[in-house]
Amino acid sequence: MTAKLQLIGLKKKLRGRQVLDGVDLDVAPGKSIVIIGGSGQGKSVTLKCTLGLMKPDSGQVLVDGAEITKMPVEIRARVMRKFGMLFQGAALFDSLSVWENIAFRLIYADNVPRKDARERAIETMRKVRLSPDFADVRPIELSGGMQKRAGLARAIIAKPDILFFDEPTTGLDPITADAINDLIVEMVKELDCAAVSITHDMPSARKISDEIAMLHDGKIVWRGPTSTLDSSGNAMVDQFVAGRADGPIQAVV
Amino acid sequence: MIGLTAVFIGAALALNIYVGGARFNAESFVPNIVVLGITRELGPVLAGLMLAGRVSAGIAAEIGTMRVTEQIDAMTTLSTDPFKFLIAPRVLAAVLTLPVLVAVADIIGVMGGYLVAVNSLDFNGATYLRNTFNFLETQDVVLGLTKAAVFGFIIAVMGAYQGYNSSGGALGVGRATTNAVVGAIVLILAVNYLITAFFVE
């Protein structure tokens, strides 16, 4: 079976620092993988290179076997239809109402009539358990957790093949975070899509993943099924999971 | 705001030309020089500079904030080209509206000169207006409005460019805004000279 998404030897240098130093990763259809790693180890850059928001210096990103980093922008926009992304701060457009945010892709990229788009937006809001009463308010009036729900609704409305999550639980209280985790698991299962998340929230990582990969110094240093996380035999993973300051990884303060 | 600027500049211009013209008995040229100075030069440049402060800064701050809050990245992942969605409409709007604003500013500026000339310099109102319109040529207006359209382009593009390439949170957005205004002002003045030189030849 070919991988849904495959990263091969991704390298990226930013401000003279080798942030990604040959990242290899593959994600099978319907599987959820979580990339863990400390701050500044290249998690966000990996995600940005994969999404085409940043151009890697070398290496390949394959989606369904097609290399996308060198595609012209117009063609890549088509590949983007397979993607859904939930940004860390939800990144909702504050000049549009909540339903217009959720239906953004339908209205502006797929030319769906506004009336139909609104219906689908409200249907999706129900799915992420966001009351349709909020359809016409501005995103700024929503709480952090509700903004995440709206961002998730926007990511899933066009039924993507691959969902990306950038620290989905950051800035949320533990109960809301857990509700978002449940929602992620549920949506990934319902859409039967692959999922790639980055986080350093370990309870969240355990809950939403089938597999965990650890990124350190721009490379994947360990990867395995979530159930084997505690018996990885990798000193760096052990240190990260236990959250100890002493170990092979030096804390960057 | 542009109307206020124009009326005061027109009035001051009339006074200065009157004083300067009196030195070689050319006071009667006030209407001609006021209308020429305003349509060819002061109308577009002043409107351009004021809008560089207002519009360029506004666009840079708005797009810059969208950049640092990942809204622009989000737009890309939603298969929408941020250039087409955010930048092109703003540039188009500025290119179309600035000439209109400048045309209005020109009229108000000439009015300012007229008011001073008639009320405190003892010009005859009808003669003043006749001299103004007889002297004005189509090419003066075309030059002024061409400048206005180009300045509109500069203002929107500078704001969008600085905003789009901003990074680093509130500090970065502040820097982008400053750079947009300063860049737009300098470019407007330089391009103003180039366009004038081109038209004079």
Side-chain angles (χ1 to χ4, degrees):
Chain A
M1 193 164 54
T2 54
K4 191 77 208 164
L5 173 74
Q6 202 173 1
L7 312 181
I8 305 168
L10 275 191
K11 289 194 181 191
K12 180 76 186 175
K13 207 173 198 171
L14 284 174
R15 289 182 212 94
R17 204 169 75 86
Q18 194 73 43
V19 183
L20 300 187
D21 193 16
V23 172
D24 297 295
L25 194 69
D26 54 275
V27 188
K31 290 283 173 206
S32 172
I33 186 161
V34 169
I35 304 172
I36 57 170
S39 307
Q41 300 301 326
K43 298 193 302 294
S44 293
V45 178
T46 305
L47 209 55
K48 283 191 168 157
C49 285
T50 311
L51 287 163
L53 301 172
M54 213 180 245
K55 218 176 155 53
D57 299 331
S58 64
Q60 294 180 304
V61 178
L62 306 181
V63 177
D64 289 324
E67 146 75 330
I68 63 164
T69 54
K70 289 178 186 70
M71 276 182 186
V73 182
E74 312 84 65
I75 299 177
R76 207 169 51 207
R78 247 178 278 159
V79 178
M80 287 282 183
R81 279 163 211 271
K82 297 181 182 176
F83 292 173
M85 162 86 184
L86 174 59
F87 285 86
Q88 194 176 349
L92 299 169
F93 308 120
D94 33 37
S95 58
L96 302 176
S97 66
V98 169
W99 84 264
E100 286 170 317
N101 262 284
I102 294 171
F104 190 89
R105 180 194 291 270
L106 303 181
I107 303 173
Y108 298 103
D110 300 345
N111 296 317
V112 174
R114 284 178 73 85
K115 199 167 153 284
D116 302 349
R118 189 185 156 95
E119 263 169 37
R120 279 175 68 184
I122 287 176
E123 185 191 317
T124 315
M125 284 174 82
R126 287 215 180 83
K127 261 190 215 165
V128 299
R129 291 189 279 287
L130 186 62
S131 162
D133 297 345
F134 294 110
D136 293 301
V137 306
R138 304 272 154 195
I140 200 80
E141 295 169 53
L142 300 182
S143 70
M146 289 199 280
Q147 289 189 6
K148 287 275 164 107
R149 285 177 197 268
L152 180 60
R154 184 174 69 179
I156 63 170
I157 192 163
K159 304 195 168 50
D161 294 352
I162 312 173
L163 270 172
F164 296 90
F165 299 96
D166 183 0
E167 313 224 355
T169 55
T170 303
L172 301 177
D173 67 79
I175 297 168
T176 312
D178 202 47
I180 294 289
N181 288 336
D182 286 340
L183 211 51
I184 291 173
V185 173
E186 191 184 322
M187 291 303 132
V188 169
K189 195 173 283 173
E190 191 185 314
L191 294 167
D192 193 25
C193 60
V196 181
S197 319
I198 56 179
T199 188
H200 42 228
D201 172 3
M202 285 315 297
S204 168
R206 284 177 197 272
K207 188 151 190 176
I208 64 178
S209 65
D210 299 316
E211 278 188 277
I212 289 193
M214 173 143 175
L215 191 64
H216 186 74
D217 268 346
K219 283 193 186 88
I220 300 287
V221 292
W222 180 82
R223 174 187 180 167
T226 308
S227 53
T228 64
L229 186 65
D230 296 311
S231 52
S232 66
N234 182 306
M236 282 195 259
V237 175
D238 287 345
Q239 186 195 350
F240 193 87
V241 171
R244 288 190 310 263
D246 57 323
I249 305 171
Q250 292 294 310
V252 188
V253 185
Chain B
M1 189 180 69
I2 287 185
L4 278 178
T5 315
V7 80
F8 287 128
I9 284 293
L13 197 60
L15 281 177
N16 280 323
I17 293 165
Y18 184 79
V19 173
R23 290 180 196 158
F24 38 93
N25 296 322
E27 300 97 319
S28 61
F29 288 121
V30 169
N32 315 31
I33 301 179
V34 166
V35 74
L36 194 76
I38 285 182
T39 50
R40 289 179 70 105
E41 188 72 36
L42 292 171
V45 169
L46 287 175
L49 294 184
M50 312 240 4
L51 287 181
R54 281 182 69 130
V55 177
S56 224
I59 292 177
E62 191 180 355
I63 295 185
T65 306
M66 291 188 76
R67 162 62 73 200
V68 300
T69 56
E70 298 186 311
Q71 291 181 47
I72 290 183
D73 287 345
M75 201 170 276
T76 309
T77 65
L78 294 167
S79 306
T80 306
D81 184 357
F83 176 81
K84 267 191 220 147
F85 193 82
L86 292 176
I87 299 178
R90 284 171 171 76
V91 173
L92 190 68
V95 170
L96 293 179
T97 49
L98 210 64
V100 177
L101 267 175
V102 166
V104 174
D106 286 351
I107 294 167
I108 297 175
V110 169
M111 282 293 300
Y114 169 86
L115 287 175
V116 167
V118 171
N119 290 325
S120 47
L121 304 175
D122 288 333
F123 275 80
N124 176 290
T127 318
Y128 187 98
L129 286 183
R130 196 170 56 240
N131 282 346
T132 296
F133 289 116
N134 286 347
F135 183 72
L136 191 67
E137 290 176 16
T138 316
Q139 67 139 324
D140 300 329
V141 179
V142 169
L143 171 64
L145 298 187
T146 306
K147 282 181 177 180
V150 175
F151 296 167
F153 181 80
I154 291 174
I155 286 167
V157 167
M158 263 322 250
Y161 174 81
Q162 295 290 349
Y164 198 82
N165 291 304
S166 66
S167 61
L171 184 72
V173 175
R175 202 184 300 125
T177 310
T178 311
N179 289 347
V181 174
V182 173
I185 287 175
V186 172
L187 260 180
I188 283 173
L189 294 174
V191 169
N192 174 56
Y193 167 72
L194 292 177
I195 298 178
T196 313
F198 180 77
F199 263 75
V200 168
E201 277 173 28

